[in-house]
Amino acid sequence: MDPATVNSEIVTPVIENPQAAVPMASATPNPALADLQDIIHPDPIGAWPWAIGYWLVLALVIALITLLVIWLRKRARDLAPKKAAKQLLSQLDKQAPSYVSDVNSLLKRTAMSYISREAIASLDGEAWATWLDSYLPAPKRQRIGPLLAKRHQPTPLTLAEANELHALTKAWLASKATLSAPVPTQTQAQIQQTGTKAQTQPADTKQPEAQC
């Protein structure tokens, strides 16, 4: 018989249930694993409580906001007199004979809102103009003094001069520089010394008269 024919007639046995031929060792529970429980995952990490870094950032933000509020309040309080002066300046009549005197008085009152009355009330003439010029831009200096000096003249300002004085006063009020007390000049110091001597002279001259 042909070997090829024999091989073709060999029938491979068919196993109806393949799992029946496999040993069922895995079906028997392992006593060592009977006491084990399911894996319990830890709770997710929450955002609270915050780490120390977050608290430091929060404290820094609160401090900056507090300082900003304090600075804004102080700034508003410092600018309040100048803001009110601007409104009064816009209400003055430029063609009125007393316009120069009104502007000069407005500047005096505004300055005394920041500096003591004793330091400002006695300023006049060149010293007053020099102090005002120190808070004006360089191109606008040396002009407000001559215009304010015309308040002592009977002739009122021309419309061009009144407009110029208005612009200079508005620029002075718009200055953000901190006002400081004027430094007494040598002339003012001599005037104060002369006034002090004049006050002491009557008392000295009365003594010989009393002795006589």
Side-chain angles (χ1 to χ4, degrees), residues 41-64:
H41 297 282
D43 296 334
I45 299 175
W48 193 264
W50 285 354
I52 186 64
Y54 291 101
W55 287 109
L56 292 176
V57 173
L58 180 61
L60 180 60
V61 171
I62 293 176
L64 292 177

PDB file of all heavy atoms in Angstrom, residues 41-64:
ATOM      1  N   HIS A  41      -7.660  51.999  46.549  1.00  0.00           N
ATOM      2  CA  HIS A  41      -6.888  53.147  46.086  1.00  0.00           C
ATOM      3  C   HIS A  41      -7.005  54.310  47.077  1.00  0.00           C
ATOM      4  O   HIS A  41      -8.079  54.541  47.648  1.00  0.00           O
ATOM      5  CB  HIS A  41      -7.383  53.599  44.710  1.00  0.00           C
ATOM      6  CG  HIS A  41      -7.194  52.565  43.644  1.00  0.00           C
ATOM      7  ND1 HIS A  41      -5.986  52.312  43.028  1.00  0.00           N
ATOM      8  CD2 HIS A  41      -8.083  51.666  43.095  1.00  0.00           C
ATOM      9  CE1 HIS A  41      -6.113  51.358  42.143  1.00  0.00           C
ATOM     10  NE2 HIS A  41      -7.375  50.925  42.162  1.00  0.00           N
ATOM     11  N   PRO A  42      -5.932  55.058  47.310  1.00  0.00           N
ATOM     12  CA  PRO A  42      -6.016  56.203  48.234  1.00  0.00           C
ATOM     13  C   PRO A  42      -6.884  57.313  47.652  1.00  0.00           C
ATOM     14  O   PRO A  42      -7.052  57.440  46.438  1.00  0.00           O
ATOM     15  CB  PRO A  42      -4.549  56.654  48.359  1.00  0.00           C
ATOM     16  CG  PRO A  42      -3.898  56.182  47.101  1.00  0.00           C
ATOM     17  CD  PRO A  42      -4.593  54.897  46.736  1.00  0.00           C
ATOM     18  N   ASP A  43      -7.435  58.126  48.570  1.00  0.00           N
ATOM     19  CA  ASP A  43      -8.258  59.256  48.132  1.00  0.00           C
ATOM     20  C   ASP A  43      -7.408  60.250  47.354  1.00  0.00           C
ATOM     21  O   ASP A  43      -6.232  60.464  47.657  1.00  0.00           O
ATOM     22  CB  ASP A  43      -8.883  59.949  49.338  1.00  0.00           C
ATOM     23  CG  ASP A  43      -9.843  59.020  50.080  1.00  0.00           C
ATOM     24  OD1 ASP A  43     -10.382  58.109  49.419  1.00  0.00           O
ATOM     25  OD2 ASP A  43     -10.028  59.205  51.297  1.00  0.00           O
ATOM     26  N   PRO A  44      -7.982  60.862  46.354  1.00  0.00           N
ATOM     27  CA  PRO A  44      -7.205  61.866  45.588  1.00  0.00           C
ATOM     28  C   PRO A  44      -6.816  63.050  46.467  1.00  0.00           C
ATOM     29  O   PRO A  44      -7.547  63.442  47.383  1.00  0.00           O
ATOM     30  CB  PRO A  44      -8.180  62.295  44.476  1.00  0.00           C
ATOM     31  CG  PRO A  44      -9.541  61.942  45.005  1.00  0.00           C
ATOM     32  CD  PRO A  44      -9.352  60.714  45.851  1.00  0.00           C
ATOM     33  N   ILE A  45      -5.658  63.608  46.199  1.00  0.00           N
ATOM     34  CA  ILE A  45      -5.147  64.738  46.980  1.00  0.00           C
ATOM     35  C   ILE A  45      -5.966  65.990  46.662  1.00  0.00           C
ATOM     36  O   ILE A  45      -6.080  66.399  45.503  1.00  0.00           O
ATOM     37  CB  ILE A  45      -3.658  64.992  46.666  1.00  0.00           C
ATOM     38  CG1 ILE A  45      -2.842  63.746  47.037  1.00  0.00           C
ATOM     39  CG2 ILE A  45      -3.139  66.216  47.415  1.00  0.00           C
ATOM     40  CD1 ILE A  45      -1.388  63.865  46.661  1.00  0.00           C
ATOM     41  N   GLY A  46      -6.564  66.600  47.676  1.00  0.00           N
ATOM     42  CA  GLY A  46      -7.386  67.789  47.479  1.00  0.00           C
ATOM     43  C   GLY A  46      -6.562  69.071  47.506  1.00  0.00           C
ATOM     44  O   GLY A  46      -5.378  69.078  47.837  1.00  0.00           O
ATOM     45  N   ALA A  47      -7.217  70.190  47.158  1.00  0.00           N
ATOM     46  CA  ALA A  47      -6.542  71.493  47.145  1.00  0.00           C
ATOM     47  C   ALA A  47      -6.464  72.128  48.523  1.00  0.00           C
ATOM     48  O   ALA A  47      -5.809  73.155  48.703  1.00  0.00           O
ATOM     49  CB  ALA A  47      -7.271  72.442  46.186  1.00  0.00           C
ATOM     50  N   TRP A  48      -7.151  71.574  49.476  1.00  0.00           N
ATOM     51  CA  TRP A  48      -7.170  72.131  50.839  1.00  0.00           C
ATOM     52  C   TRP A  48      -6.613  71.116  51.824  1.00  0.00           C
ATOM     53  O   TRP A  48      -6.916  69.936  51.706  1.00  0.00           O
ATOM     54  CB  TRP A  48      -8.600  72.507  51.207  1.00  0.00           C
ATOM     55  CG  TRP A  48      -8.690  73.351  52.434  1.00  0.00           C
ATOM     56  CD1 TRP A  48      -8.931  72.927  53.688  1.00  0.00           C
ATOM     57  CD2 TRP A  48      -8.528  74.759  52.518  1.00  0.00           C
ATOM     58  NE1 TRP A  48      -8.935  73.973  54.555  1.00  0.00           N
ATOM     59  CE2 TRP A  48      -8.689  75.111  53.869  1.00  0.00           C
ATOM     60  CE3 TRP A  48      -8.238  75.755  51.589  1.00  0.00           C
ATOM     61  CZ2 TRP A  48      -8.585  76.425  54.306  1.00  0.00           C
ATOM     62  CZ3 TRP A  48      -8.146  77.059  52.021  1.00  0.00           C
ATOM     63  CH2 TRP A  48      -8.320  77.387  53.366  1.00  0.00           C
ATOM     64  N   PRO A  49      -5.805  71.490  52.790  1.00  0.00           N
ATOM     65  CA  PRO A  49      -5.340  72.864  53.061  1.00  0.00           C
ATOM     66  C   PRO A  49      -4.221  73.285  52.114  1.00  0.00           C
ATOM     67  O   PRO A  49      -3.512  72.445  51.576  1.00  0.00           O
ATOM     68  CB  PRO A  49      -4.834  72.773  54.494  1.00  0.00           C
ATOM     69  CG  PRO A  49      -4.379  71.359  54.640  1.00  0.00           C
ATOM     70  CD  PRO A  49      -5.315  70.533  53.799  1.00  0.00           C
ATOM     71  N   TRP A  50      -4.087  74.622  51.932  1.00  0.00           N
ATOM     72  CA  TRP A  50      -3.059  75.132  51.043  1.00  0.00           C
ATOM     73  C   TRP A  50      -1.671  74.922  51.623  1.00  0.00           C
ATOM     74  O   TRP A  50      -1.479  74.892  52.833  1.00  0.00           O
ATOM     75  CB  TRP A  50      -3.265  76.623  50.800  1.00  0.00           C
ATOM     76  CG  TRP A  50      -4.402  76.909  49.859  1.00  0.00           C
ATOM     77  CD1 TRP A  50      -5.140  76.028  49.146  1.00  0.00           C
ATOM     78  CD2 TRP A  50      -4.912  78.206  49.541  1.00  0.00           C
ATOM     79  NE1 TRP A  50      -6.074  76.656  48.401  1.00  0.00           N
ATOM     80  CE2 TRP A  50      -5.968  78.001  48.609  1.00  0.00           C
ATOM     81  CE3 TRP A  50      -4.581  79.503  49.921  1.00  0.00           C
ATOM     82  CZ2 TRP A  50      -6.700  79.054  48.082  1.00  0.00           C
ATOM     83  CZ3 TRP A  50      -5.303  80.550  49.388  1.00  0.00           C
ATOM     84  CH2 TRP A  50      -6.355  80.334  48.480  1.00  0.00           C
ATOM     85  N   ALA A  51      -0.744  74.844  50.723  1.00  0.00           N
ATOM     86  CA  ALA A  51       0.658  74.780  51.143  1.00  0.00           C
ATOM     87  C   ALA A  51       1.115  76.160  51.601  1.00  0.00           C
ATOM     88  O   ALA A  51       0.471  77.179  51.356  1.00  0.00           O
ATOM     89  CB  ALA A  51       1.529  74.278  49.993  1.00  0.00           C
ATOM     90  N   ILE A  52       2.232  76.207  52.310  1.00  0.00           N
ATOM     91  CA  ILE A  52       2.726  77.465  52.869  1.00  0.00           C
ATOM     92  C   ILE A  52       3.022  78.483  51.772  1.00  0.00           C
ATOM     93  O   ILE A  52       2.874  79.704  51.969  1.00  0.00           O
ATOM     94  CB  ILE A  52       3.988  77.201  53.723  1.00  0.00           C
ATOM     95  CG1 ILE A  52       4.433  78.484  54.436  1.00  0.00           C
ATOM     96  CG2 ILE A  52       5.092  76.635  52.855  1.00  0.00           C
ATOM     97  CD1 ILE A  52       3.441  79.017  55.429  1.00  0.00           C
ATOM     98  N   GLY A  53       3.415  78.005  50.603  1.00  0.00           N
ATOM     99  CA  GLY A  53       3.709  78.927  49.505  1.00  0.00           C
ATOM    100  C   GLY A  53       2.480  79.711  49.056  1.00  0.00           C
ATOM    101  O   GLY A  53       2.551  80.912  48.773  1.00  0.00           O
ATOM    102  N   TYR A  54       1.322  79.033  49.010  1.00  0.00           N
ATOM    103  CA  TYR A  54       0.089  79.722  48.625  1.00  0.00           C
ATOM    104  C   TYR A  54      -0.290  80.787  49.656  1.00  0.00           C
ATOM    105  O   TYR A  54      -0.767  81.872  49.304  1.00  0.00           O
ATOM    106  CB  TYR A  54      -1.048  78.712  48.470  1.00  0.00           C
ATOM    107  CG  TYR A  54      -0.889  77.795  47.275  1.00  0.00           C
ATOM    108  CD1 TYR A  54      -0.426  76.496  47.432  1.00  0.00           C
ATOM    109  CD2 TYR A  54      -1.198  78.226  45.993  1.00  0.00           C
ATOM    110  CE1 TYR A  54      -0.280  75.653  46.336  1.00  0.00           C
ATOM    111  CE2 TYR A  54      -1.055  77.396  44.897  1.00  0.00           C
ATOM    112  CZ  TYR A  54      -0.596  76.107  45.087  1.00  0.00           C
ATOM    113  OH  TYR A  54      -0.453  75.283  43.994  1.00  0.00           O
ATOM    114  N   TRP A  55      -0.099  80.482  50.933  1.00  0.00           N
ATOM    115  CA  TRP A  55      -0.423  81.460  51.976  1.00  0.00           C
ATOM    116  C   TRP A  55       0.474  82.683  51.883  1.00  0.00           C
ATOM    117  O   TRP A  55       0.029  83.820  52.089  1.00  0.00           O
ATOM    118  CB  TRP A  55      -0.290  80.814  53.357  1.00  0.00           C
ATOM    119  CG  TRP A  55      -1.398  79.852  53.675  1.00  0.00           C
ATOM    120  CD1 TRP A  55      -1.310  78.505  53.758  1.00  0.00           C
ATOM    121  CD2 TRP A  55      -2.765  80.175  53.939  1.00  0.00           C
ATOM    122  NE1 TRP A  55      -2.531  77.946  54.053  1.00  0.00           N
ATOM    123  CE2 TRP A  55      -3.440  78.951  54.181  1.00  0.00           C
ATOM    124  CE3 TRP A  55      -3.489  81.360  53.999  1.00  0.00           C
ATOM    125  CZ2 TRP A  55      -4.806  78.903  54.474  1.00  0.00           C
ATOM    126  CZ3 TRP A  55      -4.845  81.314  54.293  1.00  0.00           C
ATOM    127  CH2 TRP A  55      -5.490  80.093  54.523  1.00  0.00           C
ATOM    128  N   LEU A  56       1.755  82.459  51.571  1.00  0.00           N
ATOM    129  CA  LEU A  56       2.675  83.592  51.433  1.00  0.00           C
ATOM    130  C   LEU A  56       2.289  84.479  50.253  1.00  0.00           C
ATOM    131  O   LEU A  56       2.321  85.714  50.344  1.00  0.00           O
ATOM    132  CB  LEU A  56       4.106  83.082  51.265  1.00  0.00           C
ATOM    133  CG  LEU A  56       4.722  82.391  52.497  1.00  0.00           C
ATOM    134  CD1 LEU A  56       6.103  81.858  52.163  1.00  0.00           C
ATOM    135  CD2 LEU A  56       4.783  83.353  53.678  1.00  0.00           C
ATOM    136  N   VAL A  57       1.912  83.853  49.140  1.00  0.00           N
ATOM    137  CA  VAL A  57       1.486  84.641  47.977  1.00  0.00           C
ATOM    138  C   VAL A  57       0.219  85.422  48.281  1.00  0.00           C
ATOM    139  O   VAL A  57       0.083  86.600  47.926  1.00  0.00           O
ATOM    140  CB  VAL A  57       1.292  83.714  46.761  1.00  0.00           C
ATOM    141  CG1 VAL A  57       0.678  84.475  45.594  1.00  0.00           C
ATOM    142  CG2 VAL A  57       2.612  83.096  46.347  1.00  0.00           C
ATOM    143  N   LEU A  58      -0.731  84.782  48.975  1.00  0.00           N
ATOM    144  CA  LEU A  58      -1.972  85.461  49.340  1.00  0.00           C
ATOM    145  C   LEU A  58      -1.701  86.645  50.269  1.00  0.00           C
ATOM    146  O   LEU A  58      -2.278  87.730  50.095  1.00  0.00           O
ATOM    147  CB  LEU A  58      -2.930  84.471  50.008  1.00  0.00           C
ATOM    148  CG  LEU A  58      -4.281  85.045  50.457  1.00  0.00           C
ATOM    149  CD1 LEU A  58      -5.050  85.589  49.262  1.00  0.00           C
ATOM    150  CD2 LEU A  58      -5.100  83.983  51.185  1.00  0.00           C
ATOM    151  N   ALA A  59      -0.822  86.458  51.247  1.00  0.00           N
ATOM    152  CA  ALA A  59      -0.489  87.555  52.155  1.00  0.00           C
ATOM    153  C   ALA A  59       0.180  88.700  51.416  1.00  0.00           C
ATOM    154  O   ALA A  59      -0.088  89.882  51.680  1.00  0.00           O
ATOM    155  CB  ALA A  59       0.423  87.039  53.276  1.00  0.00           C
ATOM    156  N   LEU A  60       1.034  88.381  50.448  1.00  0.00           N
ATOM    157  CA  LEU A  60       1.708  89.424  49.669  1.00  0.00           C
ATOM    158  C   LEU A  60       0.708  90.205  48.825  1.00  0.00           C
ATOM    159  O   LEU A  60       0.774  91.439  48.739  1.00  0.00           O
ATOM    160  CB  LEU A  60       2.776  88.789  48.778  1.00  0.00           C
ATOM    161  CG  LEU A  60       3.581  89.752  47.892  1.00  0.00           C
ATOM    162  CD1 LEU A  60       4.326  90.771  48.737  1.00  0.00           C
ATOM    163  CD2 LEU A  60       4.543  88.982  47.007  1.00  0.00           C
ATOM    164  N   VAL A  61      -0.247  89.510  48.221  1.00  0.00           N
ATOM    165  CA  VAL A  61      -1.259  90.183  47.400  1.00  0.00           C
ATOM    166  C   VAL A  61      -2.119  91.102  48.261  1.00  0.00           C
ATOM    167  O   VAL A  61      -2.421  92.239  47.876  1.00  0.00           O
ATOM    168  CB  VAL A  61      -2.115  89.142  46.663  1.00  0.00           C
ATOM    169  CG1 VAL A  61      -3.305  89.802  45.984  1.00  0.00           C
ATOM    170  CG2 VAL A  61      -1.285  88.394  45.632  1.00  0.00           C
ATOM    171  N   ILE A  62      -2.525  90.629  49.444  1.00  0.00           N
ATOM    172  CA  ILE A  62      -3.344  91.464  50.336  1.00  0.00           C
ATOM    173  C   ILE A  62      -2.574  92.694  50.784  1.00  0.00           C
ATOM    174  O   ILE A  62      -3.119  93.804  50.853  1.00  0.00           O
ATOM    175  CB  ILE A  62      -3.805  90.626  51.543  1.00  0.00           C
ATOM    176  CG1 ILE A  62      -4.773  89.525  51.088  1.00  0.00           C
ATOM    177  CG2 ILE A  62      -4.470  91.515  52.590  1.00  0.00           C
ATOM    178  CD1 ILE A  62      -5.197  88.590  52.194  1.00  0.00           C
ATOM    179  N   ALA A  63      -1.289  92.526  51.091  1.00  0.00           N
ATOM    180  CA  ALA A  63      -0.474  93.671  51.511  1.00  0.00           C
ATOM    181  C   ALA A  63      -0.338  94.697  50.388  1.00  0.00           C
ATOM    182  O   ALA A  63      -0.437  95.908  50.624  1.00  0.00           O
ATOM    183  CB  ALA A  63       0.907  93.187  51.952  1.00  0.00           C
ATOM    184  N   LEU A  64      -0.131  94.225  49.157  1.00  0.00           N
ATOM    185  CA  LEU A  64      -0.002  95.151  48.028  1.00  0.00           C
ATOM    186  C   LEU A  64      -1.303  95.889  47.774  1.00  0.00           C
ATOM    187  O   LEU A  64      -1.300  97.099  47.498  1.00  0.00           O
ATOM    188  CB  LEU A  64       0.430  94.382  46.775  1.00  0.00           C
ATOM    189  CG  LEU A  64       1.848  93.810  46.784  1.00  0.00           C
ATOM    190  CD1 LEU A  64       2.115  93.005  45.514  1.00  0.00           C
ATOM    191  CD2 LEU A  64       2.880  94.916  46.936  1.00  0.00           C
TER     192      LEU A  64
END
